[in-house]
Amino acid sequence: MKRYAGWTLALPATLLVVVFLVIPVLATIWTTFTTPAGPFATYTAFFGSGFRRTVLMRTIQISLATTAIAVVIGFLTAYVVSRSPGWLKSILIVAAVFPLLTGVVVRSFAWLIILGKNGILNSTLLNLGLIGEPMAMLYTPGAVIVAMVYLFVPLMILTLVGVLESIPDDLIQASASLGAKPVATFMQVTLPLAVPGLIVGAVLVFTGSFTSYATPQLLGGEQVMMMGTLMYQQAMVTFDWVAASTIAAVMVVITIAIVLVMTRLARRLNPMAV
Amino acid sequence: MNKFFAVTAAVSAVALLSVAPTMAQGKTLTISWWGFNGEKLESIILAPFRAQCGCEIVFETGNNGERLNKIQIRNGGGVDVAYFSDSYSQLGIEAGLFQKIDPAKLPNLAGAYDLAKDPQGGYGPAYSIGRVGIVYDSSKVSTPITSWNDLWREDLAASLTLPGITTTAGPMVVLKAGDHAEVDAFEDADAAFASVAALKPNVVKNYNTGSEMINLFSTGEVSAAVAQDFTLAQIQAAVPTAVWAELGEGAIATLNTVNIPTGAAEPELAYEFINFILSPEIQQQLAEQGVDAPVNTSVTLTPEQAALWTYGADVIAGLQRVDYVKLNAAKTGWIERWNEVFGM
């Protein structure tokens, strides 16, 4: 009986997840295989369209770039935070989490003010004499990436701070006492032990970027259309729910694939950690 | 005996009159609309209509697409009165979601412009008329814009915003691109989209909401836009030098319609409501207070009030109409082609 106690306790939560999460997603995907044109017709149409392939590739590239930048910034910040004394650590964590207290639209909108032709950045560069006329920064993939990094770095920091704090100082000291230089200690001790946090953070950032709607819409528009905006267009404007479901299915599959790749990479870095 | 009948008839009439409000009481009118101008609509329309009908009023709010989707999912049910821009109400009509209107139940329709009485072949009337045209910042665009063809001018390079293809006005850009190429966009979409592609260097960004377009003006990102006239006041509040272009070919009419869905639970109450919002008094108040342009010919506005609206017989007579049946049939393909021009 004891053998099944764990399963029994997990059953209610599992049922909730299956009923309210898994079944709706599967039902959505199922509709894409039951069209009169055949089971794979919607997928043939999706991948047969150069525009849709471009949007898919653009979404993957922007999400990967966002994740890579967020990993670097998040790791460095989390490392500093985790090594700071108690009072300073609290202040730094509050500062890192502070942007999360406002909505996605507001945070994206802030970048319209920063990156606009009359924005803070252009004004500063003009006043410093570094540019002769305002640069067009908005409505580019760069603007979308910058805004999404800003959106998701707090998640990466929060995930990594806990992991980096849990690495015992003894290990670092032991590494140094055995003659390892700081870079070697970082690469061979700290980084591998931070892999679980890196994976969780990277997955959160990637999936958040990959499925985002408001930021690409505000800072990219049609010129930088991503999968989320394309799906909205199909569902709410052309009322083509099967096409929208196909996009959702493609997004689910790509997300799972990317997560698996990340996990595999992480396992190479630290076979014990994942 | 006659006296008996007279008394009986009088008592019956009194009884009926006293029952009528009781019958309306307890009824609920469900309205699907955008949800803008909530406070003004409450004071101008809802409070007096509640007093008139003795009924409750509930709402479904959201943009055109979201609300039409909901009605479609409920197979024409769930609401009694639905406000839509004409491109979306046409979609609803084609999907069989709206019932035909009996004009005899809308006495106030007689006072409306002909354009508004029956814009879509027997379905809901228009309660407001707008127009799509061009707005530009006269302090930055030195040569006035006087034609749709001016959108392609080189001096407007990287200074224009167009409505996205998924908005009400977006497909009209394709129609105008067809005119620019001297073809009918419905007949020769290739040439029309070649014109759209030629316009791309002038476009900074395509907007999806009026507020987004106003922000583009106010932040100096653009100095000209293809826009609906209801945004003009807000653009001018942000950029006082912005002006509405007087186009030689005329602006394009946009009608906002009210329809009764096929599954309406209270169709009679819906008729009463539609007739109410078409009354001269309500139309006058809505126009004066900056909510909607009037369709009632008896509304009189001062030049300052009228400046905001598509107002007056001459202006309305000069508007171009769009064939939404053709447009909706072409729209899906156009969205794809538009995406290829701007999103690749």
Side-chain angles (χ1 to χ4, degrees):
Chain A
M1 195 64 192
K2 267 187 177 175
R3 205 173 145 192
Y4 299 106
W7 286 104
T8 312
L9 286 171
L11 193 62
T14 310
L15 272 176
L16 282 175
V17 169
V18 168
V19 170
F20 292 109
L21 223 98
V22 177
I23 290 177
V25 171
L26 291 179
T28 302
I29 295 173
W30 178 250
T31 59
T32 64
F33 293 108
T34 53
T35 61
F40 298 105
T42 59
Y43 294 93
T44 309
F46 180 90
F47 289 105
S49 159
F51 167 68
R52 283 171 169 70
R53 289 199 304 272
T54 302
V55 172
L56 177 60
M57 289 311 297
R58 180 189 294 144
T59 311
I60 292 173
Q61 286 165 358
I62 287 176
S63 304
L64 285 175
T66 304
T67 308
I69 297 168
V71 162
V72 174
I73 296 173
F75 194 93
L76 293 174
T77 313
Y79 190 78
V80 171
V81 171
S82 67
R83 300 290 156 204
S84 300
W87 63 272
L88 182 59
K89 187 185 292 180
S90 303
I91 292 172
L92 290 174
I93 288 178
V94 168
V97 173
F98 191 72
L100 294 177
L101 299 177
T102 58
V104 173
V105 172
V106 174
R107 280 183 283 160
S108 301
F109 213 85
W111 286 99
L112 287 175
I113 297 164
I114 295 169
L115 300 176
K117 271 185 188 166
N118 299 334
I120 297 165
L121 188 56
N122 263 321
S123 303
T124 307
L125 293 173
L126 279 168
N127 288 335
L128 291 172
L130 295 173
I131 54 173
E133 56 183 52
M135 292 190 295
M137 290 181 278
L138 286 178
Y139 319 121
T140 62
V144 177
I145 291 170
V146 165
M148 290 215 286
V149 167
Y150 172 65
L151 280 180
F152 294 117
V153 155
L155 289 179
M156 183 64 84
I157 294 171
L158 283 179
T159 312
L160 283 170
V161 164
V163 174
L164 290 171
E165 274 184 331
S166 68
I167 298 173
D169 284 342
D170 296 353
L171 278 178
I172 310 293
Q173 286 163 8
S175 172
S177 68
L178 289 170
K181 290 182 177 170
V183 174
T185 301
F186 179 80
M187 293 303 291
Q188 291 172 29
V189 179
T190 310
L191 190 58
L193 289 174
V195 162
L198 279 171
I199 292 301
V200 172
V203 167
L204 284 175
V205 174
F206 180 82
T207 51
S209 311
F210 195 69
T211 56
S212 62
Y213 171 76
T215 306
Q217 183 77 329
L218 281 172
L219 295 161
E222 287 175 351
Q223 287 86 336
V224 193
M225 186 176 273
M226 290 175 65
M227 292 289 270
T229 39
L230 180 63
M231 184 164 67
Y232 179 87
Q233 191 182 78
Q234 293 295 321
M236 305 310 290
V237 181
T238 62
F239 303 104
D240 190 344
W241 283 88
V242 174
S245 300
T246 305
I247 295 167
V250 170
M251 289 171 80
V252 168
V253 171
I254 299 273
T255 306
I256 291 171
I258 297 279
V259 169
L260 288 175
V261 169
M262 283 181 180
T263 311
R264 207 175 173 84
L265 281 173
R267 199 171 282 147
R268 282 194 175 183
L269 273 172
N270 180 3
M272 302 295 288
V274 184
Chain B
M1 199 63 181
N2 282 343
K3 196 176 178 183
F4 173 77
F5 277 120
V7 171
T8 308
V11 169
S12 303
V14 170
L16 277 173
L17 283 172
S18 62
V19 166
T22 326
M23 283 169 70
Q25 267 172 1
K27 288 188 174 180
T28 300
L29 179 73
T30 307
I31 303 172
S32 171
W33 63 8
W34 290 276
F36 301 136
N37 288 314
E39 285 179 17
K40 287 181 180 175
L41 290 172
E42 172 61 34
S43 66
I44 300 170
I45 296 179
L46 301 177
F49 186 70
R50 271 194 210 98
Q52 177 181 308
C53 72
C55 58
E56 293 292 318
I57 301 176
V58 295
F59 309 100
E60 187 165 285
T61 56
N63 67 30
N64 282 298
E66 290 164 0
R67 293 183 296 109
L68 189 62
N69 247 326
K70 283 182 187 171
I71 295 174
Q72 192 156 17
I73 288 165
R74 295 191 300 251
N75 205 20
V79 296
D80 302 303
V81 176
Y83 284 62
F84 285 108
S85 62
D86 47 5
S87 61
Y88 281 86
S89 52
Q90 184 63 42
L91 282 172
I93 289 164
E94 287 165 19
L97 301 178
F98 301 133
Q99 50 184 279
K100 288 225 171 187
I101 293 289
D102 178 0
K105 293 180 179 177
L106 299 173
N108 286 327
L109 205 53
Y113 290 108
D114 287 342
L115 184 67
K117 284 178 182 169
D118 180 19
Q120 291 164 315
Y123 294 88
Y127 70 91
S128 180
I129 298 179
R131 54 187 162 161
V132 172
I134 300 172
V135 181
Y136 66 96
D137 182 351
S138 57
S139 71
K140 291 182 179 170
V141 180
S142 49
T143 310
I145 293 175
T146 56
S147 161
W148 286 99
N149 289 319
D150 288 347
L151 290 174
W152 281 262
R153 275 182 359 201
E154 285 183 8
D155 65 304
L156 292 180
S159 57
L160 178 66
T161 180
L162 301 176
I165 187 71
T166 59
T167 64
T168 299
M172 296 172 189
V173 175
V174 181
L175 295 177
K176 288 297 152 197
D179 290 348
H180 182 68
E182 297 179 346
V183 298
D184 179 348
F186 295 122
E187 303 295 328
D188 189 353
D190 288 345
F193 275 94
S195 272
V196 172
L199 192 55
K200 192 178 173 184
N202 286 5
V203 177
V204 177
K205 193 202 180 205
N206 296 331
Y207 65 87
N208 286 295
T209 61
S211 56
E212 195 181 350
M213 183 258 291
I214 292 159
N215 278 324
L216 287 164
F217 260 107
S218 62
T219 55
E221 296 294 324
V222 302
S223 48
V226 172
Q228 293 194 67
D229 64 351
F230 71 83
T231 59
L232 180 61
Q234 285 172 286
I235 296 172
Q236 286 176 332
V239 182
T241 45
V243 293
W244 181 261
E246 294 303 329
L247 303 171
E249 307 93 331
I252 304 169
T254 55
L255 306 178
N256 286 334
T257 61
V258 270
N259 291 276
I260 303 177
T262 48
E266 301 289 351
E268 295 308 316
L269 206 49
Y271 272 109
E272 189 181 341
F273 179 80
I274 294 172
N275 193 51
F276 183 78
I277 62 170
L278 292 174
S279 67
E281 300 78 25
I282 298 298
Q283 289 267 309
Q284 180 78 36
Q285 287 185 61
L286 289 171
E288 282 177 356
Q289 296 194 33
V291 181
D292 279 315
V295 294
N296 194 294
T297 53
S298 67
V299 171
T300 52
L301 300 175
T302 64
E304 292 76 30
Q305 290 166 340
L308 288 175
W309 301 127
T310 306
Y311 170 75
D314 293 342
V315 172
I316 287 170
L319 295 175
Q320 300 178 1
R321 289 300 314 275
V322 172
D323 184 342
Y324 284 110
V325 176
K326 276 186 175 179
L327 184 64
N328 289 336
K331 199 170 170 184
T332 303
W334 284 10
I335 289 173
E336 199 72 20
R337 300 186 73 148
W338 180 280
N339 284 338
E340 283 168 8
V341 171
F342 289 103
M344 290 287 271

